[in-house]
Amino acid sequence: MYNKPGIVLGNDNIYTKSLPEYESRAMPKEAVFTMKLEPELRAEFMAAAAADDRPASQIVRELMRDYIARQQQAREYDDYLRRKVELARVSVRAGRGRSNDEVNAEFAARRARATGEA
């Protein structure tokens, strides 16, 4: 069994590590997270962490924070798109929409002016 502050590795497919309870970098690590993974993945991860001279638990916490941030960004972008689509639908219902042919014609004219073809 491998033991290091913040990491306890059991048999070949159990990986247990401490997780932060708060966002701060100097936070106490009180929660414990257990996961199963392939022995080869565990060995490669531990070797990569050792080669980088970083504790595996630190890398996993960083990966978790990055994942949480990406998920939050995705949710915010989805909300933004929903609002934008709803505004467009309101605009169309109010008669302020234009057909695809009208938009294509307008931008063809703009491209022609920009390239000096008009």
Side-chain angles (χ1 to χ4, degrees):
M1 183 178 289
Y2 173 89
N3 287 307
K4 188 174 181 181
I7 301 174
V8 178
L9 293 179
N11 61 32
D12 284 340
N13 65 355
I14 302 289
Y15 176 80
T16 305
K17 62 173 266 340
S18 296
L19 294 177
E21 282 196 343
Y22 308 101
E23 267 310 299
S24 167
R25 293 282 184 212
M27 64 191 125
K29 288 130 186 108
E30 297 173 8
V32 174
F33 181 83
T34 302
M35 61 189 277
K36 291 188 176 194
L37 62 149
E38 299 84 4
E40 299 82 17
L41 178 61
R42 174 189 168 268
E44 288 179 30
F45 179 74
M46 294 305 293
D52 204 20
D53 198 29
R54 293 177 63 197
S57 61
Q58 181 185 42
I59 296 168
V60 172
R61 284 192 302 273
E62 183 179 302
L63 291 169
M64 293 175 89
R65 287 184 189 105
D66 289 347
Y67 176 79
I68 291 166
R70 282 194 315 273
Q71 293 302 310
Q72 180 62 34
Q73 252 182 339
R75 281 190 297 277
E76 289 171 0
Y77 186 70
D78 287 347
D79 291 344
Y80 161 77
L81 284 180
R82 274 190 211 85
R83 288 190 308 271
K84 189 171 181 175
V85 167
E86 185 53 35
L87 287 173
R89 287 177 177 160
V90 168
S91 177
V92 167
R93 285 192 294 265
R96 294 187 305 267
R98 293 189 280 168
S99 73
N100 190 50
D101 290 337
E102 291 171 316
V103 172
N104 284 336
E106 178 184 338
F107 279 90
R110 285 185 184 192
R111 282 189 296 277
R113 284 192 305 273
T115 60
E117 297 173 13

